[in-house]
Amino acid sequence: VLCENKGSILLRTSFLTRVDLFITSDPVNVHYILNSKFSVYQRSSEFRRSFDFLGDSVYVKDLDEWKEGKKHIHGFYKESDFHESAPTIIRRVIERGLVPVLDRASQDGRAVDLQDLSSRFMLDTTGILASGSDLGSVRVGFPKCDLLEAMDDMGEAVFWRYVLPESVWTAQRWMGIGREKKMREACKVFAKTLDDFMATNPESDELFNVIKYFKDGERVPQNLVDRSFISSNLMTLFFAGRDTSGSALTWFFHLMSTNPDAKTKILDELRGIAPPSGNHIFSSFEENNQMVYLHCALYETLRLYPPVPLLIREATQDDTLPSGHK
């Protein structure tokens, strides 16, 4: 529909909702909304209500509050300790979980649900990055993981919060029924997990992680962060880390399975840079930088199947887009 309407359409909804939706995929409009006029186009009130379980997270804040929180979040990713720890964390999850799982599946000739595998891989990676704790969900036999199930229930509830009228899902929440009941139980699981992280923070001396960063008074002013702030942003990190990257990995391997020529080129590139070894692991992560074709294939996967295909913004004042729409 967007293609047939030059990338932009206006949806006038019913008189019950009193909300009109302007949908655009026009790159000029997108750049204008998300960059040039970022201060005018904020996260909608509907968005914040749908993600109310994220509390004080930077993800749901508007401009002024967002700027302060963003400074500290970005500070974590700029730390040299983060850049030194990240490859070690990824390698650990690959060696402890991913390779043994795939080896066993190969030996037994069993099929593997790649979406489940990718989600578990990213969950464990994010867990160590966030707190130093390995959740151990990527193991032979795929053990039950309460946090994994809780995140699925929360994601489904958020989806239906967008689909159903707000009065319906708020009534479900008040009565404690349906998906809102699952959401409530999932939030309890998440809260307990985060409390455990905050209380124990294992391996914190060995690897740099989010909790260690926020508890460091020299890096972050302690009057600006509290337990609620850290927990909310840890929850956001889990959703951002697991769902987006997990989705991208799933689609990438799906595309490889349906494009044998591309798969062959990637394998040839792998063999030329890192000859096969007994443990199937790169000797160093710097070798990845030489894999140009793989890099392009991942970008193409993101173009065809973007993990976050929709962004919602609300104009805080009258404005006219580059396309001429008011």
Side-chain angles (χ1 to χ4, degrees), residues 73-294:
I73 298 295
H74 276 206
F76 170 78
Y77 291 107
K78 291 178 180 178
E79 286 283 341
S80 59
D81 288 340
F82 164 73
H83 292 282
E84 292 173 4
S85 293
T88 304
I89 291 170
I90 296 169
R91 188 185 189 99
R92 175 179 296 181
V93 180
I94 291 173
E95 291 178 334
R96 289 182 180 180
L98 195 60
V99 168
V101 166
L102 293 175
D103 274 347
R104 175 64 65 85
S106 179
Q107 293 165 10
D108 297 345
R110 289 186 293 105
V112 176
D113 183 336
L114 276 178
Q115 182 165 337
D116 188 19
L117 180 64
S118 298
S119 293
R120 288 171 178 268
F121 171 69
M122 289 310 307
L123 183 73
D124 288 359
T125 303
T126 305
I128 300 175
L129 177 65
S131 68
S133 301
D134 187 351
L135 293 164
S137 69
V138 183
R139 296 293 187 271
V140 174
F142 282 177
K144 176 179 170 61
C145 180
D146 292 337
L147 185 59
L148 195 70
E149 295 177 5
M151 291 183 68
D152 288 339
D153 288 340
M154 294 167 88
E156 185 177 352
V158 169
F159 171 78
W160 285 104
R161 284 181 175 187
Y162 274 109
V163 173
L164 297 172
E166 187 174 346
S167 58
V168 174
W169 63 262
T170 51
Q172 287 184 344
R173 181 168 62 180
W174 181 74
M175 292 185 286
I177 61 174
R179 294 180 182 86
E180 288 300 314
K181 179 181 179 180
K182 285 188 174 183
M183 168 67 94
R184 181 182 300 172
E185 295 303 316
C187 286
K188 290 179 182 178
V189 171
F190 226 120
K192 182 181 183 305
T193 302
L194 296 178
D195 283 343
D196 291 343
F197 286 164
M198 298 283 286
T200 58
N201 197 15
E203 305 182 54
S204 58
D205 292 333
E206 179 187 351
L207 292 170
F208 189 63
N209 58 66
V210 175
I211 293 179
K212 186 177 180 181
Y213 170 75
F214 277 120
K215 285 185 174 180
D216 187 340
E218 295 183 2
R219 287 184 167 107
V220 181
Q222 295 303 288
N223 63 313
L224 297 179
V225 297
D226 55 20
R227 191 182 185 87
S228 174
F229 177 87
I230 298 174
S231 295
S232 297
N233 283 287
L234 283 179
M235 186 181 292
T236 302
L237 177 63
F238 269 98
F239 276 99
R242 190 202 77 150
D243 288 354
T244 56
S245 300
S247 170
L249 287 171
T250 303
W251 281 115
F252 171 76
F253 285 110
H254 168 73
L255 287 171
M256 289 305 99
S257 71
T258 55
N259 292 272
D261 289 345
K263 183 175 74 171
T264 299
K265 291 178 181 177
I266 289 175
L267 289 173
D268 288 343
E269 189 174 57
L270 276 165
R271 295 187 185 102
I273 295 169
S277 61
N279 62 4
H280 320 306
I281 307 291
F282 283 113
S283 58
S284 72
F285 273 79
E286 285 71 25
E287 292 168 344
N288 288 328
N289 295 329
Q290 304 174 47
M291 301 180 66
V292 178
Y293 191 92
L294 175 61

Side-chain angles (χ1 to χ4, degrees), residues 37 39-41 314-319:
K37 287 295 184 77
S39 60
V40 172
Y41 294 91
E314 188 176 80
T316 58
Q317 63 188 55
D318 290 346
D319 194 33

Side-chain angles (χ1 to χ4, degrees), residues 284-311:
S284 72
F285 273 79
E286 285 71 25
E287 292 168 344
N288 288 328
N289 295 329
Q290 304 174 47
M291 301 180 66
V292 178
Y293 191 92
L294 175 61
H295 193 150
C296 293
L298 286 167
Y299 267 38
E300 183 68 353
T301 300
L302 294 172
R303 185 185 73 82
L304 292 169
Y305 299 103
V308 185
L310 178 68
L311 291 173

